[in-house]
């Protein structure tokens, strides 16, 4: 028979809430298996007769028999006719072969990771809020998305493609979607794209990871904006690159610092249309100077055009890729901001010589993007629905930006000053009171308001304290409630 402690262990497994969805025989089987693996039941030890154990546990004999049968099938116990059931004599279960408690890795110990693995873990990754609250940045309005239209287009795809959409897709992406993307960026962004140069990905973050690992070796230098988008910085840090921060002014990246740097870098990362987080636009003369630098030094320009669709003052400047005759620019775009985050479709327009290497590398990450979503999106673009949706959202977002700027000026002027951007989905503010950035962000968090501190985005650590306020996903009424709540909380904190 089991000792009392062993029997109590099995009973505890039966009663544990985490096992509630598991059949009784499986719970008994796992409890006994754990006793064997822990060495509590040593090799050759007899198990209770099934009838006796069933009586002790208050279950049927068939339940215990089913547990014993599974343990026997897995090799944990031997069953001998006329003698009973015994713990198997396998050497793996013997006390001498079990890892000592001192040598075992406990749950509280840090795992031994590679240098790159440690860098990824220490960066914290890039985590998005599952249920965003004001003023989470980079979140588009999704409540007004034309779901019925999308559903109709998806049904058309299913009707025409049938079970073909259930199979693996082209790693480079659906040709229909690649053609639609190329046509769109050529028309709207002044790009130089063809379908065979487009690579469909799950996100712009995946594109950044591919660029970091495929274009540069560990310890090689890359110029980045300062402040910079944290997802890019973390992708470059995780790849072991040496990031070199370059400052900004009202005309964008200080390109002369790149040109005058005696130490060469292999690439430069920039967000020229709406710099993240300042919102400034890189001027034409600086774009041309960067293109010349890349051509002269055989460097790469990684252009992240993450939300260029939303420009509220005049026409957006043509993308750098469309100005580059030397094919040294990698253009990254995404539908996460322009449509909805759950779509998980981004893209990159590549120089011809990079298409095959990047596509091969992509197969090692996730193989391909879902064909159903790609084909539905292609129809959405080709039918003019994407352009119509962007135009409608542009008007809504412009109104919400104006509302937020006015409310900040009215209710938060004692604490911060708004820097109204000409586009994008978020507005930066600089702190003008005596509170630290951390105090402001923490105070906001306590009342359910989400702010992103600006100083963490400065690689050089000398940025003016401030915060970023996303406005796109929130109605004017929601924005007003959140601003008033934040103002009250800050007044209370300063008192």
């Amino acid at each position: 028979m089991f000792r009392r402690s062993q029997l109590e262990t099995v009973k505890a497994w039966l009663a544990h809430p985490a096992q509630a969805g598991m059949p009784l025989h499986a719970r008994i089987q796992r409890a006994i298996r754990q006793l064997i693996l822990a060495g509590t039941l040593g090799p050759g030890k007899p198990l209770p007769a099934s009838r006796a154990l069933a009586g002790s546990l208050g279950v049927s004999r068939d339940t215990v028999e089913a547990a014993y049968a599974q343990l026997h099938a897995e090799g944990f116990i031997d069953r001998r006719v006329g003698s009973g059931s015994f713990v198997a004599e396998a050497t793996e279960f013997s006390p001498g072969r079990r890892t000592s408690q001192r040598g075992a890795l406990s749950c509280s110990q840090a795992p031994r990771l590679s240098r790159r693995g440690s860098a990824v873990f220490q960066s914290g990754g890039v985590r998005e809020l599952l249920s965003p609250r004001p003023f989470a940045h980079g979140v588009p309005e999704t409540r007004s998305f034309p779901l019925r239209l999308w559903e109709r287009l998806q049904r058309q795809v299913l009707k025409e493609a049938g079970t073909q959409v259930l199979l693996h897709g082209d790693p480079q992406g659906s040709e229909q979607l690649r053609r639609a993307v190329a046509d769109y960026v050529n028309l709207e962004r002044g790009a130089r794209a063809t379908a065979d140069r487009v690579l469909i990905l799950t996100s712009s973050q995946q594109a950044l990871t591919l660029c970091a690992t495929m274009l540069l070796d560990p310890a090689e230098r890359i110029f980045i904006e300062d402040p910079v988008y944290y997802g890019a910085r973390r992708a470059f840090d995780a790849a072991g690159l040496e990031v070199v921060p370059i400052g900004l002014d009202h005309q964008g990246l200080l390109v002369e610092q790149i040109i005058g740097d005696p130490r060469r870098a292999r690439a430069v990362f920039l967000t020229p249309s709406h710099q993240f987080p300042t919102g400034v636009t890189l001027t034409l003369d600086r774009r041309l100077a960067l293109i010349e630098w890349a051509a002269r030094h055989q460097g790469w320009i990684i252009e992240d055009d993450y939300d260029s669709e939303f420009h509220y003052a005049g026409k957006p400047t043509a993308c750098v890729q469309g100005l580059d005759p030397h094919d040294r620019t990698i253009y990254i775009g995404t539908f996460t901001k322009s449509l909805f985050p759950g779509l998980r479709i981004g893209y990159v327009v590549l120089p011809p010589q990079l298409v095959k290497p990047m596509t091969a590398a992509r197969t090692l990450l996730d193989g391909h993007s879902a064909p159903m979503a790609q084909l539905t999106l292609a129809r959405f673009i080709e039918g003019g629905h994407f352009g119509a949706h962007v135009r409608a959202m542009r008007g809504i977002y412009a109104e919400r930006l104006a509302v937020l700027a006015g409310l900040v000026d009215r209710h938060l002027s004692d604490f911060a000053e708004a820097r109204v951007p000409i586009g994008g989905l978020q507005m930066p503010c600089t702190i003008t009171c005596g509170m630290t950035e951390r105090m402001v962000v923490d105070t906001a968090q306590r009342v359910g308001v989400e702010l992103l501190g600006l100083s963490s985005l400065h690689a050089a650590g000398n940025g003016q304290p401030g915060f970023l306020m996303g406005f796109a996903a929130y109605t004017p009424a929601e924005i007003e409630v959140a601003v008033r709540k934040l103002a009250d909380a800050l007044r209370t904190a300063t008192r």
Side-chain angles (χ1 to χ4, degrees):
M1 289 293 291
F2 281 163
R3 296 197 301 270
R4 180 180 296 275
S5 60
Q6 296 167 343
L7 185 61
E8 292 302 319
T9 297
V10 177
K11 288 181 177 180
W13 269 75
L14 291 178
H16 199 285
Q19 316 298 326
M22 194 181 297
L24 279 174
H25 75 272
R27 291 187 236 175
I28 295 169
Q29 178 252 333
R30 292 196 178 191
I32 296 175
R33 183 179 67 186
Q34 191 58 40
L35 290 172
I36 295 172
L37 289 173
T40 306
L41 288 175
K45 293 290 184 181
L47 298 180
S50 57
R51 189 186 303 277
L53 184 57
S56 299
L57 299 177
V59 300
S60 71
R61 184 183 179 188
D62 288 344
T63 299
V64 175
E65 281 291 334
Y68 279 5
Q70 184 61 30
L71 287 166
H72 177 63
E74 293 178 357
F76 284 97
I77 67 173
D78 293 327
R79 309 200 73 181
R80 305 167 194 166
V81 177
S83 299
S85 301
F86 302 83
V87 177
E89 294 285 355
T91 54
E92 287 82 356
F93 306 141
S94 61
R97 291 295 299 271
R98 286 186 291 111
T99 305
S100 68
Q101 290 298 316
R102 182 175 298 178
L105 180 66
S106 73
C107 294
S108 61
Q109 285 180 282
R112 183 179 177 182
L113 302 174
S114 67
R115 282 193 294 272
R116 179 168 290 176
S118 297
V120 170
F121 179 57
Q122 289 167 11
S123 76
V126 179
R127 301 181 182 183
E128 307 292 352
L129 292 172
L130 297 182
S131 300
R133 55 191 183 182
F135 294 98
H137 69 282
V139 184
E141 170 60 67
T142 57
R143 288 170 288 188
S144 58
F145 183 79
L147 274 176
R148 290 185 178 178
L149 170 61
W150 186 269
E151 184 182 17
R152 176 163 58 83
L153 295 175
Q154 188 167 273
R155 285 200 304 269
Q156 291 176 7
V157 168
L158 273 173
K159 184 177 180 180
E160 294 182 16
T163 57
Q164 193 67 29
V165 297
L166 308 181
L167 301 175
H168 287 86
D170 184 341
Q172 191 178 343
S174 155
E175 184 180 359
Q176 185 179 349
L177 179 57
R178 288 190 280 116
R179 188 168 56 247
V181 167
D183 291 343
Y184 170 74
V185 296
N186 288 341
L187 178 64
E188 296 292 337
R189 301 298 300 120
R192 298 165 58 248
T194 55
D196 59 331
R197 294 177 61 172
V198 175
L199 172 61
I200 302 298
L201 301 170
T202 53
S203 65
S204 57
Q205 192 64 40
Q206 187 179 49
L208 291 170
T209 298
L210 282 173
C211 289
T213 55
M214 292 296 290
L215 303 180
L216 297 96
D217 287 317
E220 286 194 306
R221 305 171 86 227
I222 180 170
F223 293 120
I224 63 169
E225 300 165 322
D226 191 25
V228 69
Y229 170 55
Y230 54 86
R233 174 66 188 270
R234 290 170 185 175
F236 302 148
D237 284 344
L241 309 184
E242 180 188 346
V243 295
V244 182
I246 302 295
L248 309 165
D249 63 13
H250 66 285
Q251 294 185 321
L253 192 71
L254 297 172
V255 175
E256 60 270 20
Q257 293 185 11
I258 293 176
I259 297 172
D261 194 318
R263 296 179 61 198
R264 290 188 181 181
R266 289 291 308 282
V268 57
F269 168 80
L270 65 157
T271 51
S273 296
H274 300 140
Q275 199 279 329
F276 186 93
T278 65
V280 300
T281 299
L282 187 64
T283 57
L284 178 60
D285 60 327
R286 295 188 183 184
R287 293 172 187 236
L288 295 175
L290 270 180
I291 290 170
E292 182 62 28
W293 167 84
R296 187 184 311 118
H297 299 292
Q298 292 296 288
W300 298 106
I301 299 171
I302 303 171
E303 177 182 14
D304 187 355
D305 212 22
Y306 64 102
D307 67 356
S308 62
E309 290 86 2
F310 304 115
H311 199 89
Y312 312 127
K315 277 283 190 182
T317 310
C319 64
V320 174
Q321 191 269 355
L323 302 171
D324 180 5
H326 312 293
D327 285 329
R328 305 301 304 178
T329 303
I330 295 102
Y331 177 89
I332 299 172
T334 178
F335 293 100
T336 295
K337 304 290 189 293
S338 54
L339 293 179
F340 54 94
L343 182 58
R344 306 317 300 150
I345 293 182
Y347 59 91
V348 57
V349 180
L350 296 164
Q353 66 271 30
L354 289 182
V355 173
K356 287 185 177 180
M358 287 287 201
T359 303
R362 186 272 165 88
T363 64
L364 296 175
L365 297 178
D366 62 354
H368 64 96
S369 297
M372 173 84 77
Q374 290 187 72
L375 294 174
T376 304
L377 175 57
R379 285 175 181 259
F380 193 76
I381 297 172
E382 291 166 348
H385 309 300
F386 178 68
H389 179 71
V390 166
R391 288 191 294 273
M393 290 299 100
R394 193 180 292 141
I396 290 173
Y397 295 164
E399 177 195 3
R400 293 179 180 182
L401 172 59
V403 167
L404 176 60
L407 287 168
V408 168
D409 185 56
R410 193 177 315 141
H411 299 289
L412 294 173
S413 57
D414 291 340
F415 309 99
E417 180 182 347
R419 293 188 174 178
V420 184
I422 61 172
L425 307 182
Q426 48 272 326
M427 181 180 76
C429 297
T430 55
I431 296 173
T432 56
C433 64
M435 297 179 73
T436 66
E437 183 181 288
R438 186 73 262 162
M439 287 172 62
V440 172
V441 171
D442 288 347
T443 299
Q445 191 114 35
R446 285 194 290 270
V447 294
V449 173
E450 196 72 30
L451 302 176
L452 175 66
L454 293 180
S455 64
S456 64
L457 305 177
H458 286 264
N462 56 358
Q464 186 174 357
F467 50 85
L468 207 56
M469 305 180 80
F471 56 82
Y474 319 106
T475 65
E478 291 168 338
I479 291 172
E480 182 169 5
V481 168
V483 168
R484 288 178 178 274
K485 190 185 296 184
L486 176 59
D488 290 342
L490 292 176
R491 289 192 192 95
T492 302
T494 52
R495 283 199 294 269

